[in-house]
Amino acid sequence: MEYITFALAKGRLAKHTLSLLEKIGITCEEMKDEKTRKLIFVNEELGFKFFLSKASDVPTYVELGAADIGVVGKDTILEAGRKLYEVLDLNCGKCRMCVAGPASAREQLNNGSLIRVASKYPGIAKDYFYNKKHQTVEIIKLNGSVELAPIVGLSEVIVDIVETGSTLKENGLEVLEEICPLSARVVVNEVSMKMQHERITKLIRDLKKVIPDD
């Protein structure tokens, strides 16, 4: 039997995905050993392989065929811009990608001013401002706490993930525009979808039945 390989984003999402897979009869006991140093985990009987990776690498593994299926956040999929099929919303890890900043920046967003935008997601920021708003902006890539950027005058606004908005509020910032809703998604390699169509579509169908409503 040919294996179907999963690339799972490390952490809570991997655990959540494995618990969903268990509900449809796909298990991988050796992944539960937290002391293991193994990188690839196999269920020989069912013909599945699993590996954990950094979230930002999951779309790369899937597009280039090192994994047939990946599970990762929509933010990572959008930022990576890889060619793959997004087939299922797991309805977990829900949040929003937003433009945020001080209330005073709202006018600059509305009148199309040339502003600076700080973000960990320059690809998403660029797509939103250039292709959807048609506003020319200067995008600054940051890796740390982007909320700091408008406070110290590095940028007028930020593009970032917002869950509750409490961090923004504490720092005198607010959501000014919503870009898109985010949650965990299942992605599939384009060739794998053709070559392993029956097994993959059955897996997607089975998963749909066990995904919680909210």
PDB file of all heavy atoms in Angstrom, residues 76-95:
ATOM      1  N   THR A  76      -1.116  31.181   7.679  1.00  0.00           N
ATOM      2  CA  THR A  76       0.116  30.619   7.124  1.00  0.00           C
ATOM      3  C   THR A  76      -0.073  30.281   5.648  1.00  0.00           C
ATOM      4  O   THR A  76       0.829  30.507   4.834  1.00  0.00           O
ATOM      5  CB  THR A  76       0.517  29.349   7.907  1.00  0.00           C
ATOM      6  OG1 THR A  76       0.556  29.669   9.301  1.00  0.00           O
ATOM      7  CG2 THR A  76       1.866  28.826   7.485  1.00  0.00           C
ATOM      8  N   ILE A  77      -1.244  29.768   5.303  1.00  0.00           N
ATOM      9  CA  ILE A  77      -1.532  29.425   3.902  1.00  0.00           C
ATOM     10  C   ILE A  77      -1.502  30.694   3.036  1.00  0.00           C
ATOM     11  O   ILE A  77      -0.889  30.725   1.970  1.00  0.00           O
ATOM     12  CB  ILE A  77      -2.914  28.740   3.776  1.00  0.00           C
ATOM     13  CG1 ILE A  77      -2.920  27.410   4.544  1.00  0.00           C
ATOM     14  CG2 ILE A  77      -3.289  28.513   2.317  1.00  0.00           C
ATOM     15  CD1 ILE A  77      -4.312  26.833   4.776  1.00  0.00           C
ATOM     16  N   LEU A  78      -2.167  31.741   3.516  1.00  0.00           N
ATOM     17  CA  LEU A  78      -2.223  33.002   2.759  1.00  0.00           C
ATOM     18  C   LEU A  78      -0.838  33.616   2.603  1.00  0.00           C
ATOM     19  O   LEU A  78      -0.472  34.095   1.530  1.00  0.00           O
ATOM     20  CB  LEU A  78      -3.155  34.001   3.459  1.00  0.00           C
ATOM     21  CG  LEU A  78      -4.656  33.702   3.403  1.00  0.00           C
ATOM     22  CD1 LEU A  78      -5.411  34.653   4.316  1.00  0.00           C
ATOM     23  CD2 LEU A  78      -5.180  33.797   1.979  1.00  0.00           C
ATOM     24  N   GLU A  79      -0.069  33.617   3.674  1.00  0.00           N
ATOM     25  CA  GLU A  79       1.256  34.241   3.643  1.00  0.00           C
ATOM     26  C   GLU A  79       2.208  33.462   2.737  1.00  0.00           C
ATOM     27  O   GLU A  79       3.018  34.048   2.023  1.00  0.00           O
ATOM     28  CB  GLU A  79       1.834  34.341   5.057  1.00  0.00           C
ATOM     29  CG  GLU A  79       3.150  35.110   5.164  1.00  0.00           C
ATOM     30  CD  GLU A  79       3.058  36.563   4.711  1.00  0.00           C
ATOM     31  OE1 GLU A  79       1.989  37.189   4.828  1.00  0.00           O
ATOM     32  OE2 GLU A  79       4.084  37.086   4.230  1.00  0.00           O
ATOM     33  N   ALA A  80       2.090  32.130   2.758  1.00  0.00           N
ATOM     34  CA  ALA A  80       3.004  31.298   1.959  1.00  0.00           C
ATOM     35  C   ALA A  80       2.724  31.418   0.467  1.00  0.00           C
ATOM     36  O   ALA A  80       3.643  31.369  -0.356  1.00  0.00           O
ATOM     37  CB  ALA A  80       2.887  29.839   2.387  1.00  0.00           C
ATOM     38  N   GLY A  81       1.441  31.583   0.100  1.00  0.00           N
ATOM     39  CA  GLY A  81       1.080  31.737  -1.311  1.00  0.00           C
ATOM     40  C   GLY A  81       1.449  30.546  -2.176  1.00  0.00           C
ATOM     41  O   GLY A  81       1.786  30.695  -3.355  1.00  0.00           O
ATOM     42  N   ARG A  82       1.399  29.352  -1.613  1.00  0.00           N
ATOM     43  CA  ARG A  82       1.767  28.135  -2.344  1.00  0.00           C
ATOM     44  C   ARG A  82       0.590  27.593  -3.155  1.00  0.00           C
ATOM     45  O   ARG A  82      -0.565  27.867  -2.833  1.00  0.00           O
ATOM     46  CB  ARG A  82       2.234  27.062  -1.351  1.00  0.00           C
ATOM     47  CG  ARG A  82       3.551  27.409  -0.646  1.00  0.00           C
ATOM     48  CD  ARG A  82       4.705  27.105  -1.535  1.00  0.00           C
ATOM     49  NE  ARG A  82       5.987  27.390  -0.912  1.00  0.00           N
ATOM     50  CZ  ARG A  82       7.141  27.177  -1.526  1.00  0.00           C
ATOM     51  NH1 ARG A  82       7.161  26.695  -2.750  1.00  0.00           N
ATOM     52  NH2 ARG A  82       8.285  27.455  -0.923  1.00  0.00           N
ATOM     53  N   LYS A  83       0.909  26.785  -4.168  1.00  0.00           N
ATOM     54  CA  LYS A  83      -0.147  26.162  -4.980  1.00  0.00           C
ATOM     55  C   LYS A  83      -0.559  24.847  -4.334  1.00  0.00           C
ATOM     56  O   LYS A  83       0.225  23.886  -4.322  1.00  0.00           O
ATOM     57  CB  LYS A  83       0.369  25.907  -6.400  1.00  0.00           C
ATOM     58  CG  LYS A  83       0.422  27.160  -7.262  1.00  0.00           C
ATOM     59  CD  LYS A  83       0.882  26.838  -8.665  1.00  0.00           C
ATOM     60  CE  LYS A  83      -0.211  26.132  -9.454  1.00  0.00           C
ATOM     61  NZ  LYS A  83       0.239  25.756 -10.812  1.00  0.00           N
ATOM     62  N   LEU A  84      -1.748  24.819  -3.778  1.00  0.00           N
ATOM     63  CA  LEU A  84      -2.268  23.603  -3.150  1.00  0.00           C
ATOM     64  C   LEU A  84      -3.785  23.709  -3.044  1.00  0.00           C
ATOM     65  O   LEU A  84      -4.359  24.770  -3.230  1.00  0.00           O
ATOM     66  CB  LEU A  84      -1.632  23.364  -1.767  1.00  0.00           C
ATOM     67  CG  LEU A  84      -1.155  24.559  -0.936  1.00  0.00           C
ATOM     68  CD1 LEU A  84      -2.311  25.222  -0.252  1.00  0.00           C
ATOM     69  CD2 LEU A  84      -0.130  24.106   0.084  1.00  0.00           C
ATOM     70  N   TYR A  85      -4.420  22.593  -2.766  1.00  0.00           N
ATOM     71  CA  TYR A  85      -5.867  22.601  -2.593  1.00  0.00           C
ATOM     72  C   TYR A  85      -6.205  22.774  -1.118  1.00  0.00           C
ATOM     73  O   TYR A  85      -5.707  22.023  -0.280  1.00  0.00           O
ATOM     74  CB  TYR A  85      -6.491  21.279  -3.073  1.00  0.00           C
ATOM     75  CG  TYR A  85      -6.386  21.030  -4.551  1.00  0.00           C
ATOM     76  CD1 TYR A  85      -5.876  19.821  -5.033  1.00  0.00           C
ATOM     77  CD2 TYR A  85      -6.810  21.982  -5.484  1.00  0.00           C
ATOM     78  CE1 TYR A  85      -5.786  19.575  -6.403  1.00  0.00           C
ATOM     79  CE2 TYR A  85      -6.715  21.743  -6.845  1.00  0.00           C
ATOM     80  CZ  TYR A  85      -6.205  20.540  -7.298  1.00  0.00           C
ATOM     81  OH  TYR A  85      -6.122  20.305  -8.649  1.00  0.00           O
ATOM     82  N   GLU A  86      -7.027  23.775  -0.819  1.00  0.00           N
ATOM     83  CA  GLU A  86      -7.534  23.936   0.551  1.00  0.00           C
ATOM     84  C   GLU A  86      -8.893  23.241   0.581  1.00  0.00           C
ATOM     85  O   GLU A  86      -9.822  23.661  -0.097  1.00  0.00           O
ATOM     86  CB  GLU A  86      -7.675  25.423   0.872  1.00  0.00           C
ATOM     87  CG  GLU A  86      -8.045  25.687   2.315  1.00  0.00           C
ATOM     88  CD  GLU A  86      -8.269  27.166   2.574  1.00  0.00           C
ATOM     89  OE1 GLU A  86      -7.428  27.998   2.166  1.00  0.00           O
ATOM     90  OE2 GLU A  86      -9.313  27.488   3.171  1.00  0.00           O
ATOM     91  N   VAL A  87      -8.987  22.140   1.334  1.00  0.00           N
ATOM     92  CA  VAL A  87     -10.153  21.273   1.199  1.00  0.00           C
ATOM     93  C   VAL A  87     -11.103  21.261   2.390  1.00  0.00           C
ATOM     94  O   VAL A  87     -12.254  20.836   2.263  1.00  0.00           O
ATOM     95  CB  VAL A  87      -9.712  19.806   0.906  1.00  0.00           C
ATOM     96  CG1 VAL A  87      -9.000  19.726  -0.435  1.00  0.00           C
ATOM     97  CG2 VAL A  87      -8.830  19.252   2.020  1.00  0.00           C
ATOM     98  N   LEU A  88     -10.637  21.719   3.546  1.00  0.00           N
ATOM     99  CA  LEU A  88     -11.488  21.578   4.728  1.00  0.00           C
ATOM    100  C   LEU A  88     -11.123  22.591   5.805  1.00  0.00           C
ATOM    101  O   LEU A  88      -9.949  22.841   6.065  1.00  0.00           O
ATOM    102  CB  LEU A  88     -11.314  20.153   5.289  1.00  0.00           C
ATOM    103  CG  LEU A  88     -12.317  19.631   6.312  1.00  0.00           C
ATOM    104  CD1 LEU A  88     -13.740  19.645   5.762  1.00  0.00           C
ATOM    105  CD2 LEU A  88     -11.943  18.205   6.731  1.00  0.00           C
ATOM    106  N   ASP A  89     -12.151  23.165   6.420  1.00  0.00           N
ATOM    107  CA  ASP A  89     -11.982  24.057   7.569  1.00  0.00           C
ATOM    108  C   ASP A  89     -12.226  23.229   8.831  1.00  0.00           C
ATOM    109  O   ASP A  89     -13.302  22.666   9.006  1.00  0.00           O
ATOM    110  CB  ASP A  89     -13.005  25.202   7.466  1.00  0.00           C
ATOM    111  CG  ASP A  89     -12.817  26.260   8.538  1.00  0.00           C
ATOM    112  OD1 ASP A  89     -12.157  25.982   9.558  1.00  0.00           O
ATOM    113  OD2 ASP A  89     -13.344  27.375   8.365  1.00  0.00           O
ATOM    114  N   LEU A  90     -11.216  23.143   9.687  1.00  0.00           N
ATOM    115  CA  LEU A  90     -11.357  22.333  10.903  1.00  0.00           C
ATOM    116  C   LEU A  90     -12.113  23.060  12.019  1.00  0.00           C
ATOM    117  O   LEU A  90     -12.323  22.516  13.098  1.00  0.00           O
ATOM    118  CB  LEU A  90      -9.986  21.885  11.416  1.00  0.00           C
ATOM    119  CG  LEU A  90      -9.248  20.849  10.559  1.00  0.00           C
ATOM    120  CD1 LEU A  90      -7.946  20.436  11.222  1.00  0.00           C
ATOM    121  CD2 LEU A  90     -10.106  19.633  10.279  1.00  0.00           C
ATOM    122  N   ASN A  91     -12.467  24.316  11.750  1.00  0.00           N
ATOM    123  CA  ASN A  91     -13.321  25.043  12.685  1.00  0.00           C
ATOM    124  C   ASN A  91     -12.699  25.205  14.076  1.00  0.00           C
ATOM    125  O   ASN A  91     -13.398  25.213  15.082  1.00  0.00           O
ATOM    126  CB  ASN A  91     -14.674  24.328  12.802  1.00  0.00           C
ATOM    127  CG  ASN A  91     -15.816  25.313  12.962  1.00  0.00           C
ATOM    128  OD1 ASN A  91     -15.622  26.512  12.789  1.00  0.00           O
ATOM    129  ND2 ASN A  91     -16.988  24.830  13.303  1.00  0.00           N
ATOM    130  N   CYS A  92     -11.373  25.277  14.118  1.00  0.00           N
ATOM    131  CA  CYS A  92     -10.707  25.509  15.413  1.00  0.00           C
ATOM    132  C   CYS A  92      -9.630  26.573  15.230  1.00  0.00           C
ATOM    133  O   CYS A  92      -9.246  26.891  14.106  1.00  0.00           O
ATOM    134  CB  CYS A  92     -10.105  24.217  15.958  1.00  0.00           C
ATOM    135  SG  CYS A  92      -8.638  23.681  15.078  1.00  0.00           S
ATOM    136  N   GLY A  93      -9.167  27.133  16.330  1.00  0.00           N
ATOM    137  CA  GLY A  93      -8.175  28.206  16.272  1.00  0.00           C
ATOM    138  C   GLY A  93      -8.718  29.440  15.577  1.00  0.00           C
ATOM    139  O   GLY A  93      -8.016  30.136  14.844  1.00  0.00           O
ATOM    140  N   LYS A  94      -9.997  29.718  15.820  1.00  0.00           N
ATOM    141  CA  LYS A  94     -10.640  30.832  15.111  1.00  0.00           C
ATOM    142  C   LYS A  94     -10.145  32.200  15.599  1.00  0.00           C
ATOM    143  O   LYS A  94     -10.073  32.441  16.803  1.00  0.00           O
ATOM    144  CB  LYS A  94     -12.154  30.757  15.288  1.00  0.00           C
ATOM    145  CG  LYS A  94     -12.810  29.662  14.473  1.00  0.00           C
ATOM    146  CD  LYS A  94     -14.312  29.762  14.635  1.00  0.00           C
ATOM    147  CE  LYS A  94     -15.022  28.853  13.673  1.00  0.00           C
ATOM    148  NZ  LYS A  94     -16.459  28.983  13.766  1.00  0.00           N
ATOM    149  N   CYS A  95      -9.823  33.045  14.654  1.00  0.00           N
ATOM    150  CA  CYS A  95      -9.453  34.437  14.948  1.00  0.00           C
ATOM    151  C   CYS A  95      -9.605  35.233  13.653  1.00  0.00           C
ATOM    152  O   CYS A  95     -10.196  34.731  12.691  1.00  0.00           O
ATOM    153  CB  CYS A  95      -8.028  34.519  15.513  1.00  0.00           C
ATOM    154  SG  CYS A  95      -6.854  33.491  14.642  1.00  0.00           S
TER     155      CYS A  95
END
